[in-house]
Amino acid sequence: GAGVSQSPRYKVAKRGQDVALRCDPISGHVSLFWYQQALGQGPEFLTYFQNEAQLDKSGLPSDRFFAERPEGSVSTLKIQRTQQEDSAVYLCASSLAGRNTIYFGEGSWLTVV
Amino acid sequence: EDQVTQSPEALRLQEGESSSLNCSYTVSGLRGLFWYRQDPGKGPEFLFTLYSAGEEKEKERLKATLTKKESFLHITAPKPEDSATYLCAVRGTGANNLFFGTGTRLTVIP
């Protein structure tokens, strides 16, 4: 597609509920990133894929967070047993391999109540 | 450890009043310094990448410059539509991801 597409754009979850956030990167982009952005803060790195391989998951805050990209295109970020502190915007980004520019989607706004 | 500090946190300008935003950084082997613009409720929009000290890039009313310790985003004769949060990020040696600062929230008053 023309840009990085994320869904849902807005999600309200009850505490303890599982959520799944989807990212469809720019066609042909090998690299895919997930970031978390709290209100008034810059994006913070969560995890990185090159094709289907998850090469870096050092930013995932707990084992409740899980990401996958099984066919090297669409990716899903799953959060189990959501907590209030998980409320944030989850940004997906993609790029061609190497030192190319990273392009962001519009984000999925998660509110845990 | 990578560090990015942006200043000021917020800036209010009159339309036409030029100014600069600062991004100070510490990174192990700079492989790129990036400027993004973020509007409320939107994802970051790419503006510039700078790779080496002395490099400059321009786009409309914006000009980004880079030294070994900091980058400046100069805004010449800003318009209200330039109001946004401007984010600075770095990529270091061995890293694929970007490390972001907290941004400067710019408001341009008509």
Side-chain angles (χ1 to χ4, degrees), chain A residues 9 33 35 37 40-43 45 48 56 91 98-106 109, chain B residues 31 34 36 38 40-44 46 49 51 87 91 96-103:
Chain A
R9 286 279 283 131
F33 305 82
Y35 286 80
Q37 187 174 25
Q41 301 297 312
F45 170 74
Y48 161 68
D56 186 349
L91 295 164
R99 60 181 233 174
N100 289 277
T101 300
I102 296 176
Y103 296 93
F104 284 82
E106 298 288 84
W109 291 65
Chain B
R31 288 177 53 216
F34 300 77
Y36 285 84
Q38 188 171 29
K42 303 284 189 180
F46 171 74
T49 309
Y51 291 105
L87 295 166
R91 177 190 275 142
N96 291 290
N97 60 294
L98 302 184
F99 187 88
F100 281 85
T102 54

Short mmCIF file of all heavy atoms in Angstrom, two decimals, chain A residues 9 33 35 37 40-43 45 48 56 91 98-106 109, chain B residues 31 34 36 38 40-44 46 49 51 87 91 96-103:
data_model
loop_
_atom_site.label_atom_id
_atom_site.label_comp_id
_atom_site.label_asym_id
_atom_site.label_seq_id
_atom_site.Cartn_x
_atom_site.Cartn_y
_atom_site.Cartn_z
N ARG A 9 -7.64 1.70 14.91
CA ARG A 9 -7.08 3.01 15.25
C ARG A 9 -7.30 3.33 16.73
O ARG A 9 -6.47 3.98 17.36
CB ARG A 9 -7.73 4.09 14.39
CG ARG A 9 -7.25 4.08 12.96
CD ARG A 9 -5.91 4.81 12.83
NE ARG A 9 -6.08 6.25 12.87
CZ ARG A 9 -5.36 7.06 13.66
NH1 ARG A 9 -4.42 6.58 14.44
NH2 ARG A 9 -5.57 8.36 13.63
N PHE A 33 9.06 -2.23 12.55
CA PHE A 33 9.32 -1.83 13.93
C PHE A 33 8.00 -1.57 14.65
O PHE A 33 7.04 -1.08 14.05
CB PHE A 33 10.13 -0.53 13.99
CG PHE A 33 11.40 -0.55 13.22
CD1 PHE A 33 11.42 -0.32 11.85
CD2 PHE A 33 12.62 -0.76 13.86
CE1 PHE A 33 12.61 -0.32 11.12
CE2 PHE A 33 13.81 -0.76 13.15
CZ PHE A 33 13.80 -0.55 11.79
N TYR A 35 6.75 0.63 18.09
CA TYR A 35 7.11 1.61 19.11
C TYR A 35 5.89 1.86 19.99
O TYR A 35 4.75 1.73 19.56
CB TYR A 35 7.54 2.94 18.49
CG TYR A 35 8.91 2.94 17.85
CD1 TYR A 35 9.11 2.42 16.57
CD2 TYR A 35 10.01 3.47 18.52
CE1 TYR A 35 10.37 2.42 15.99
CE2 TYR A 35 11.27 3.48 17.94
CZ TYR A 35 11.43 2.95 16.68
OH TYR A 35 12.68 2.96 16.10
N GLN A 37 4.24 4.95 22.40
CA GLN A 37 4.37 6.38 22.70
C GLN A 37 3.36 6.78 23.76
O GLN A 37 2.15 6.74 23.53
CB GLN A 37 4.17 7.23 21.44
CG GLN A 37 4.45 8.70 21.66
CD GLN A 37 4.39 9.52 20.38
OE1 GLN A 37 3.73 9.15 19.42
NE2 GLN A 37 5.10 10.64 20.35
N GLY A 40 2.73 12.89 25.53
CA GLY A 40 3.75 13.90 25.79
C GLY A 40 5.18 13.39 25.71
O GLY A 40 6.12 14.13 26.04
N GLN A 41 5.36 12.15 25.29
CA GLN A 41 6.70 11.56 25.21
C GLN A 41 7.04 11.21 23.77
O GLN A 41 6.17 11.18 22.90
CB GLN A 41 6.77 10.29 26.06
CG GLN A 41 6.48 10.51 27.53
CD GLN A 41 7.50 11.42 28.19
OE1 GLN A 41 8.71 11.24 28.03
NE2 GLN A 41 7.01 12.43 28.91
N GLY A 42 8.30 10.94 23.52
CA GLY A 42 8.69 10.44 22.21
C GLY A 42 8.43 8.95 22.10
O GLY A 42 8.26 8.27 23.11
N PRO A 43 8.40 8.43 20.89
CA PRO A 43 8.22 6.99 20.72
C PRO A 43 9.36 6.20 21.35
O PRO A 43 10.52 6.61 21.26
CB PRO A 43 8.22 6.80 19.20
CG PRO A 43 7.86 8.14 18.64
CD PRO A 43 8.45 9.14 19.59
N PHE A 45 11.16 2.35 21.48
CA PHE A 45 11.30 1.12 20.72
C PHE A 45 10.80 -0.10 21.50
O PHE A 45 11.08 -0.26 22.68
CB PHE A 45 12.78 0.93 20.36
CG PHE A 45 13.12 -0.41 19.77
CD1 PHE A 45 12.75 -0.71 18.47
CD2 PHE A 45 13.79 -1.36 20.51
CE1 PHE A 45 13.06 -1.94 17.92
CE2 PHE A 45 14.11 -2.60 19.97
CZ PHE A 45 13.74 -2.88 18.67
N TYR A 48 11.79 -5.30 16.68
CA TYR A 48 12.19 -5.12 15.28
C TYR A 48 12.19 -6.46 14.55
O TYR A 48 12.67 -7.47 15.09
CB TYR A 48 13.59 -4.50 15.25
CG TYR A 48 14.35 -4.66 13.94
CD1 TYR A 48 13.92 -4.01 12.79
CD2 TYR A 48 15.51 -5.43 13.87
CE1 TYR A 48 14.61 -4.14 11.60
CE2 TYR A 48 16.20 -5.57 12.68
CZ TYR A 48 15.75 -4.92 11.55
OH TYR A 48 16.45 -5.04 10.37
N ASP A 56 15.18 -8.27 17.25
CA ASP A 56 15.42 -7.51 18.48
C ASP A 56 14.08 -7.33 19.18
O ASP A 56 13.16 -6.76 18.59
CB ASP A 56 16.04 -6.14 18.14
CG ASP A 56 16.46 -5.34 19.37
OD1 ASP A 56 16.10 -5.72 20.50
OD2 ASP A 56 17.16 -4.33 19.19
N LEU A 91 2.79 2.51 17.75
CA LEU A 91 3.15 2.92 16.41
C LEU A 91 3.90 1.79 15.71
O LEU A 91 4.80 1.19 16.27
CB LEU A 91 4.06 4.16 16.44
CG LEU A 91 3.44 5.44 16.98
CD1 LEU A 91 4.53 6.45 17.33
CD2 LEU A 91 2.48 6.03 15.97
N GLY A 98 18.68 -1.87 5.78
CA GLY A 98 19.84 -1.00 5.90
C GLY A 98 19.54 0.32 6.57
O GLY A 98 18.70 0.40 7.46
N ARG A 99 20.18 1.36 6.12
CA ARG A 99 20.08 2.64 6.82
C ARG A 99 19.03 3.55 6.20
O ARG A 99 19.12 4.76 6.26
CB ARG A 99 21.44 3.34 6.81
CG ARG A 99 22.00 3.64 5.44
CD ARG A 99 23.36 4.30 5.59
NE ARG A 99 23.46 5.56 4.86
CZ ARG A 99 24.49 6.36 4.93
NH1 ARG A 99 25.52 6.06 5.70
NH2 ARG A 99 24.50 7.49 4.26
N ASN A 100 18.02 2.95 5.61
CA ASN A 100 16.97 3.74 4.98
C ASN A 100 16.01 4.36 5.98
O ASN A 100 15.93 3.97 7.13
CB ASN A 100 16.20 2.85 4.01
CG ASN A 100 17.03 2.51 2.80
OD1 ASN A 100 17.11 3.27 1.85
ND2 ASN A 100 17.67 1.35 2.84
N THR A 101 15.27 5.34 5.49
CA THR A 101 14.31 6.07 6.30
C THR A 101 13.22 5.14 6.82
O THR A 101 12.75 4.24 6.12
CB THR A 101 13.68 7.18 5.47
OG1 THR A 101 14.72 8.06 5.04
CG2 THR A 101 12.65 7.95 6.28
N ILE A 102 12.82 5.37 8.07
CA ILE A 102 11.73 4.62 8.69
C ILE A 102 10.46 5.44 8.59
O ILE A 102 10.43 6.61 8.98
CB ILE A 102 12.07 4.31 10.16
CG1 ILE A 102 13.29 3.39 10.23
CG2 ILE A 102 10.88 3.70 10.88
CD1 ILE A 102 13.78 3.12 11.65
N TYR A 103 9.39 4.83 8.05
CA TYR A 103 8.11 5.50 7.87
C TYR A 103 7.09 4.93 8.85
O TYR A 103 6.97 3.72 8.98
CB TYR A 103 7.61 5.32 6.43
CG TYR A 103 8.50 5.98 5.41
CD1 TYR A 103 9.52 5.26 4.79
CD2 TYR A 103 8.35 7.32 5.09
CE1 TYR A 103 10.36 5.86 3.87
CE2 TYR A 103 9.19 7.93 4.16
CZ TYR A 103 10.19 7.20 3.56
OH TYR A 103 11.03 7.81 2.66
N PHE A 104 6.35 5.83 9.49
CA PHE A 104 5.42 5.44 10.53
C PHE A 104 3.97 5.40 10.05
O PHE A 104 3.57 6.15 9.16
CB PHE A 104 5.50 6.42 11.71
CG PHE A 104 6.71 6.24 12.57
CD1 PHE A 104 7.92 6.79 12.22
CD2 PHE A 104 6.63 5.50 13.74
CE1 PHE A 104 9.05 6.62 13.01
CE2 PHE A 104 7.75 5.32 14.54
CZ PHE A 104 8.95 5.88 14.17
N GLY A 105 3.19 4.54 10.70
CA GLY A 105 1.75 4.55 10.54
C GLY A 105 1.11 5.56 11.47
O GLY A 105 1.81 6.28 12.21
N GLU A 106 -0.22 5.63 11.45
CA GLU A 106 -0.94 6.62 12.26
C GLU A 106 -1.06 6.19 13.72
O GLU A 106 -1.41 7.00 14.57
CB GLU A 106 -2.35 6.82 11.69
CG GLU A 106 -2.38 7.37 10.27
CD GLU A 106 -1.96 8.83 10.23
OE1 GLU A 106 -0.74 9.11 10.17
OE2 GLU A 106 -2.85 9.70 10.23
N TRP A 109 -4.41 3.64 19.17
CA TRP A 109 -4.55 4.25 20.49
C TRP A 109 -5.22 3.24 21.41
O TRP A 109 -6.38 2.91 21.23
CB TRP A 109 -5.41 5.51 20.38
CG TRP A 109 -4.75 6.62 19.65
CD1 TRP A 109 -4.39 6.66 18.33
CD2 TRP A 109 -4.38 7.89 20.20
NE1 TRP A 109 -3.81 7.87 18.03
CE2 TRP A 109 -3.80 8.64 19.16
CE3 TRP A 109 -4.49 8.46 21.46
CZ2 TRP A 109 -3.32 9.93 19.35
CZ3 TRP A 109 -4.02 9.76 21.65
CH2 TRP A 109 -3.44 10.47 20.60
N ARG B 31 24.82 6.81 12.97
CA ARG B 31 24.48 6.30 11.64
C ARG B 31 23.29 7.04 11.07
O ARG B 31 22.66 6.56 10.12
CB ARG B 31 24.20 4.80 11.72
CG ARG B 31 25.42 3.95 11.93
CD ARG B 31 25.05 2.49 12.08
NE ARG B 31 24.23 2.03 10.95
CZ ARG B 31 23.24 1.16 11.08
NH1 ARG B 31 22.93 0.67 12.26
NH2 ARG B 31 22.55 0.77 10.01
N PHE B 34 17.65 11.97 12.64
CA PHE B 34 16.39 12.09 11.93
C PHE B 34 15.51 13.15 12.58
O PHE B 34 15.44 13.25 13.81
CB PHE B 34 15.64 10.75 11.96
CG PHE B 34 16.40 9.61 11.34
CD1 PHE B 34 17.44 8.98 12.02
CD2 PHE B 34 16.08 9.16 10.07
CE1 PHE B 34 18.15 7.94 11.44
CE2 PHE B 34 16.78 8.11 9.49
CZ PHE B 34 17.82 7.51 10.17
N TYR B 36 11.46 14.36 12.59
CA TYR B 36 10.09 14.02 12.23
C TYR B 36 9.18 15.13 12.74
O TYR B 36 9.44 15.77 13.76
CB TYR B 36 9.66 12.71 12.88
CG TYR B 36 10.23 11.46 12.26
CD1 TYR B 36 11.49 10.99 12.62
CD2 TYR B 36 9.50 10.73 11.33
CE1 TYR B 36 12.02 9.84 12.05
CE2 TYR B 36 10.01 9.56 10.77
CZ TYR B 36 11.26 9.13 11.14
OH TYR B 36 11.78 7.97 10.58
N GLN B 38 5.17 15.62 14.07
CA GLN B 38 4.02 14.85 14.51
C GLN B 38 2.87 15.79 14.84
O GLN B 38 3.00 16.62 15.73
CB GLN B 38 4.36 13.96 15.72
CG GLN B 38 3.23 13.01 16.09
CD GLN B 38 3.65 11.99 17.14
OE1 GLN B 38 4.50 12.25 17.97
NE2 GLN B 38 3.03 10.82 17.11
N PRO B 40 -1.13 16.28 16.20
CA PRO B 40 -1.95 15.58 17.21
C PRO B 40 -2.77 14.46 16.60
O PRO B 40 -3.42 14.64 15.57
CB PRO B 40 -2.85 16.71 17.75
CG PRO B 40 -2.07 17.95 17.52
CD PRO B 40 -1.33 17.74 16.24
N GLY B 41 -2.71 13.29 17.21
CA GLY B 41 -3.49 12.15 16.74
C GLY B 41 -2.93 11.46 15.51
O GLY B 41 -3.59 10.58 14.94
N LYS B 42 -1.74 11.85 15.10
CA LYS B 42 -1.13 11.26 13.89
C LYS B 42 0.20 10.60 14.23
O LYS B 42 0.78 10.85 15.28
CB LYS B 42 -0.88 12.36 12.84
CG LYS B 42 -2.11 13.14 12.45
CD LYS B 42 -3.00 12.35 11.53
CE LYS B 42 -4.11 13.21 10.97
NZ LYS B 42 -5.00 12.44 10.06
N GLY B 43 0.70 9.78 13.30
CA GLY B 43 2.02 9.22 13.47
C GLY B 43 3.08 10.21 13.02
O GLY B 43 2.80 11.17 12.31
N PRO B 44 4.34 10.00 13.43
CA PRO B 44 5.43 10.88 13.01
C PRO B 44 5.59 10.87 11.48
O PRO B 44 5.56 9.80 10.87
CB PRO B 44 6.66 10.30 13.71
CG PRO B 44 6.12 9.54 14.88
CD PRO B 44 4.81 8.98 14.40
N PHE B 46 8.14 11.84 8.41
CA PHE B 46 9.56 12.04 8.15
C PHE B 46 9.83 13.40 7.50
O PHE B 46 9.12 13.81 6.56
CB PHE B 46 10.09 10.93 7.24
CG PHE B 46 11.49 11.17 6.75
CD1 PHE B 46 12.57 11.01 7.60
CD2 PHE B 46 11.72 11.56 5.44
CE1 PHE B 46 13.85 11.24 7.16
CE2 PHE B 46 13.00 11.78 4.99
CZ PHE B 46 14.07 11.62 5.85
N THR B 49 16.94 13.35 7.10
CA THR B 49 18.00 12.54 7.69
C THR B 49 19.33 13.24 7.44
O THR B 49 19.59 13.70 6.32
CB THR B 49 18.09 11.14 7.07
OG1 THR B 49 16.80 10.53 7.08
CG2 THR B 49 19.06 10.28 7.85
N TYR B 51 23.61 12.73 8.13
CA TYR B 51 24.53 11.63 8.42
C TYR B 51 25.88 12.08 8.98
O TYR B 51 26.53 11.31 9.69
CB TYR B 51 24.76 10.79 7.17
CG TYR B 51 23.55 10.00 6.74
CD1 TYR B 51 22.78 10.39 5.65
CD2 TYR B 51 23.16 8.85 7.43
CE1 TYR B 51 21.68 9.68 5.26
CE2 TYR B 51 22.05 8.12 7.05
CZ TYR B 51 21.31 8.54 5.96
OH TYR B 51 20.21 7.82 5.58
N LEU B 87 10.06 15.99 16.43
CA LEU B 87 10.82 14.93 17.11
C LEU B 87 12.18 14.75 16.44
O LEU B 87 12.28 14.74 15.22
CB LEU B 87 10.05 13.61 17.03
CG LEU B 87 8.72 13.54 17.76
CD1 LEU B 87 7.93 12.31 17.31
CD2 LEU B 87 8.94 13.49 19.27
N ARG B 91 20.16 7.06 15.19
CA ARG B 91 20.44 5.63 15.02
C ARG B 91 21.94 5.46 15.22
O ARG B 91 22.74 6.13 14.57
CB ARG B 91 20.02 5.16 13.65
CG ARG B 91 20.35 3.69 13.38
CD ARG B 91 20.13 3.36 11.92
NE ARG B 91 18.75 3.02 11.63
CZ ARG B 91 18.11 3.37 10.52
NH1 ARG B 91 18.71 4.08 9.61
NH2 ARG B 91 16.86 3.00 10.32
N ASN B 96 19.31 -1.01 14.61
CA ASN B 96 18.38 -0.85 13.48
C ASN B 96 17.29 0.16 13.80
O ASN B 96 16.74 0.78 12.92
CB ASN B 96 17.76 -2.20 13.13
CG ASN B 96 18.78 -3.14 12.52
OD1 ASN B 96 19.22 -2.94 11.40
ND2 ASN B 96 19.16 -4.15 13.28
N ASN B 97 16.97 0.28 15.12
CA ASN B 97 15.87 1.15 15.51
C ASN B 97 16.37 2.58 15.76
O ASN B 97 17.58 2.83 15.82
CB ASN B 97 15.20 0.63 16.77
CG ASN B 97 16.18 0.55 17.94
OD1 ASN B 97 17.11 -0.24 17.90
ND2 ASN B 97 15.99 1.39 18.95
N LEU B 98 15.44 3.50 15.91
CA LEU B 98 15.73 4.89 16.23
C LEU B 98 15.50 5.14 17.71
O LEU B 98 14.58 4.56 18.29
CB LEU B 98 14.84 5.82 15.42
CG LEU B 98 14.92 5.70 13.90
CD1 LEU B 98 14.04 6.76 13.24
CD2 LEU B 98 16.34 5.81 13.42
N PHE B 99 16.33 6.04 18.29
CA PHE B 99 16.16 6.46 19.68
C PHE B 99 15.69 7.90 19.65
O PHE B 99 16.40 8.77 19.15
CB PHE B 99 17.48 6.32 20.42
CG PHE B 99 17.35 6.58 21.90
CD1 PHE B 99 17.03 5.56 22.76
CD2 PHE B 99 17.54 7.85 22.41
CE1 PHE B 99 16.91 5.80 24.12
CE2 PHE B 99 17.41 8.11 23.75
CZ PHE B 99 17.09 7.08 24.62
N PHE B 100 14.50 8.15 20.21
CA PHE B 100 13.86 9.46 20.09
C PHE B 100 14.05 10.33 21.32
O PHE B 100 14.14 9.84 22.45
CB PHE B 100 12.34 9.28 19.88
CG PHE B 100 11.94 8.92 18.50
CD1 PHE B 100 11.94 7.61 18.08
CD2 PHE B 100 11.57 9.90 17.58
CE1 PHE B 100 11.57 7.26 16.79
CE2 PHE B 100 11.19 9.57 16.29
CZ PHE B 100 11.19 8.25 15.90
N GLY B 101 14.02 11.66 21.09
CA GLY B 101 13.85 12.61 22.16
C GLY B 101 12.37 12.78 22.45
O GLY B 101 11.51 12.13 21.83
N THR B 102 12.07 13.67 23.41
CA THR B 102 10.67 13.86 23.82
C THR B 102 9.95 14.91 22.97
O THR B 102 8.75 15.09 23.12
CB THR B 102 10.58 14.25 25.29
OG1 THR B 102 11.41 15.39 25.52
CG2 THR B 102 11.04 13.12 26.19
N GLY B 103 10.68 15.60 22.10
CA GLY B 103 10.03 16.51 21.17
C GLY B 103 9.95 17.95 21.64
O GLY B 103 10.08 18.26 22.83
#
